[in-house]
Amino acid sequence: MLERIPYDRRAAVAYAHQWAYGRNPDFYDYEEIGGDCTNFASQCLYAGTGVMNFDPVYGWFYRDPNDKAPAWTGVEYFFDFITRQTPSPGPFGISTTLSELEPGDFVQFRFNKDVFGHTPVVVEIGRPATLQNTLIAAHSYDADWRPLSTYYFQEIRFLHIQGAYREIRGEEVLPSM
């Protein structure tokens, strides 16, 4: 049985600010082998939900550098996991517009390639939202408080996190990790 829980946006944003220019030693730094942006995004999201999904193929989890789901570090897999239609443990959300973003949500960029290749986390957003007043934190292109307008991209998409599901058994809540 699944229970829907809220997303702690403040915790996700606080984590983003704490580790934007550093690396949490509890997680491997993938910078030298493809980039660390979605690993960092996943860490921020986990800080705000505390729930992983340990399905080895379709899940979203990190145990160690060699035991993680593709969705933990892969931009496209992250998007697919977050926007999945069938409820399962872990965070979930929807593809949205810039005006619907909130701090703790995510942006993905497609640069000069066929696929999206960067996942920063939104740390602040003005109203009305613009590329100039939407600020992000990220790894790979390490940044904190960086305006979206400073990126050069072919395409941009936005992910709004709606919450997370955690497994429960009767009255007992299963541990998230």
Side-chain angles (χ1 to χ4, degrees):
M1 181 184 213
L2 293 175
E3 173 187 35
R4 184 177 173 158
I5 60 172
Y7 177 40
D8 186 343
R9 294 175 178 283
R10 287 185 187 159
V13 170
Y15 186 96
H17 289 312
Q18 179 179 359
W19 295 105
Y21 293 110
R23 301 299 188 264
N24 182 337
D26 292 339
F27 297 92
Y28 185 77
D29 179 4
Y30 295 92
E31 191 67 41
E32 299 300 319
I33 54 172
D36 199 55
C37 66
T38 306
N39 177 39
F40 176 64
S42 288
Q43 291 172 43
C44 295
L45 186 53
Y46 182 66
T49 64
V51 181
M52 292 185 187
N53 179 319
F54 291 97
D55 183 298
V57 177
Y58 301 109
W60 177 79
F61 66 90
Y62 177 94
R63 288 189 181 109
D64 65 49
N66 299 308
D67 189 9
K68 61 175 179 51
W72 189 270
T73 56
V75 176
E76 294 286 346
Y77 295 109
F78 180 88
F79 180 87
D80 290 346
F81 179 79
I82 297 303
T83 61
R84 69 196 181 283
Q85 297 300 305
T86 304
S88 63
F92 63 93
I94 57 170
S95 187
T96 192
T97 63
L98 177 63
S99 64
E100 298 298 317
L101 286 179
E102 296 178 48
D105 285 336
F106 298 88
V107 175
Q108 292 189 320
F109 293 108
R110 184 170 66 82
F111 298 116
N112 262 342
K113 298 182 180 174
D114 293 333
V115 297
F116 284 81
H118 191 46
T119 308
V121 58
V122 176
V123 295
E124 185 174 291
I125 190 160
R127 296 289 176 221
T130 66
L131 294 180
Q132 290 77 25
N133 67 16
T134 302
L135 308 178
I136 59 88
H139 277 186
S140 293
Y141 306 98
D142 287 9
D144 196 12
W145 304 102
R146 181 177 176 178
L148 288 180
S149 60
T150 63
Y151 284 92
Y152 297 97
F153 55 88
Q154 287 182 317
E155 190 176 353
I156 188 171
R157 65 185 176 195
F158 310 103
L159 281 168
H160 174 68
I161 304 303
Q162 297 177 303
Y165 291 111
R166 67 178 171 189
E167 288 189 78
I168 57 171
R169 261 190 229 149
E171 298 296 316
E172 183 181 342
V173 176
L174 295 178
S176 60
M177 195 163 144

